[in-house]
Amino acid sequence: MTESPSVRVLLVDDEELVRAGLRALVDGEQGIAVVGEAGDGAEAISRTKSLSPDVVCMDVRMPNVDGIQATRVLTERHPDTKVLVLTTFENDDYVHEALQAGAQGFLLKRSAPDAVVSAILTVHQGDSLLYPDAVRRLVAAAAPAGPARPGLPMLSQREGDVLRLIARGCSNAEIAAELYVTIETVKTHVTSILGKLGVRDRVQAVIRAYETGFVPLD
């Protein structure tokens, strides 16, 4: 019996050539299987419902329904499906909106093949794909004029340490090594942080940390 692939991927981009290139890069790599493609957000929503992919590689700038709208719908209707945003420019305003809509991270389309594979596996495993410098620039560019919103709900000192490390782009394993605790302890702290901040995932927690000044933008 043939073993089923461990990571089912849906590719979403309005350019067929881009989809073909991505398929060539990742299909069959480290248990990844491309189970379908979509040319815009509306088709992505439909194909996610029918194919149940683990990870959707989502372009943001598309006609009809764009990647932001599609990400928001997928996050609400299919919370177990992870969205990885594909972008040409790391300071794209659309990326910030897509992260706020629920994407687990973003990747530049010009990234090396092994980086694309690694990104898919990272979000599938439940970690967020964050580039700290780029996220800071995105939040700073989108921040409204005037003082930041009131500070975060009270976090314990250790929860604050964990959130700062998440904002640096650290994985659970890296946080555990840095703080000399187990990975399970880190996961417990992350769950508590998300609950106290009222956010759905690590990306949202980092955005909130920057927006409130808990983690400085400069």
Side-chain angles (χ1 to χ4, degrees):
M1 176 180 290
T2 302
E3 184 178 353
S4 60
S6 58
V7 187
R8 296 164 54 82
V9 174
L10 175 67
L11 303 177
V12 185
D13 197 290
D14 61 327
E15 295 187 23
E16 184 176 354
L17 186 60
V18 172
R19 299 198 306 270
L22 284 170
R23 179 183 284 272
L25 288 179
V26 305
D27 198 24
E29 293 292 328
Q30 299 188 42
I32 295 174
V34 175
V35 296
E37 300 180 11
D40 63 23
E43 189 178 4
I45 294 168
S46 174
R47 303 224 73 189
T48 297
K49 181 179 180 180
S50 63
L51 297 173
S52 299
D54 299 304
V55 178
V56 176
C57 293
M58 181 83 74
D59 187 20
V60 286
R61 295 178 178 269
M62 295 181 291
N64 303 319
V65 177
D66 65 23
I68 297 168
Q69 294 173 282
T71 296
R72 188 172 292 112
V73 171
L74 295 186
T75 299
E76 293 174 352
R77 297 182 184 175
H78 308 280
D80 292 334
T81 296
K82 312 299 184 182
V83 178
L84 176 64
V85 170
L86 303 175
T87 180
T88 303
F89 306 105
E90 65 182 26
N91 61 347
D92 192 335
D93 290 342
Y94 276 57
V95 173
H96 180 256
E97 293 185 53
L99 293 176
Q100 290 185 316
Q104 274 68 44
F106 69 94
L107 187 71
L108 297 178
K109 289 184 179 181
R110 63 177 180 272
S111 298
D114 58 343
V116 179
V117 171
S118 176
I120 291 171
L121 296 176
T122 295
V123 298
H124 176 249
Q125 292 163 1
D127 276 328
S128 298
L129 190 70
L130 296 173
Y131 299 94
D133 290 343
V135 172
R136 278 198 297 272
R137 287 196 295 273
L138 287 167
V139 173
R149 292 181 299 176
L152 299 176
M154 183 61 65
L155 300 178
S156 71
Q157 180 176 345
R158 182 45 58 93
E159 289 167 348
D161 293 339
V162 171
L163 181 54
R164 292 184 185 93
L165 289 171
I166 293 173
R168 280 168 45 185
C170 296
S171 67
N172 285 346
E174 290 168 336
I175 294 171
E178 179 78 15
L179 299 180
Y180 300 100
V181 297
T182 66
I183 293 178
E184 290 305 315
T185 296
V186 173
K187 291 180 178 178
T188 298
H189 285 313
V190 171
T191 298
S192 178
I193 290 167
L194 299 185
K196 288 183 177 182
L197 299 187
V199 295
R200 71 173 70 89
D201 56 38
R202 296 159 69 104
V203 174
Q204 305 300 309
V206 170
I207 291 175
R208 182 71 59 82
Y210 282 131
E211 288 178 339
T212 59
F214 184 82
V215 177
L217 281 168
D218 51 18

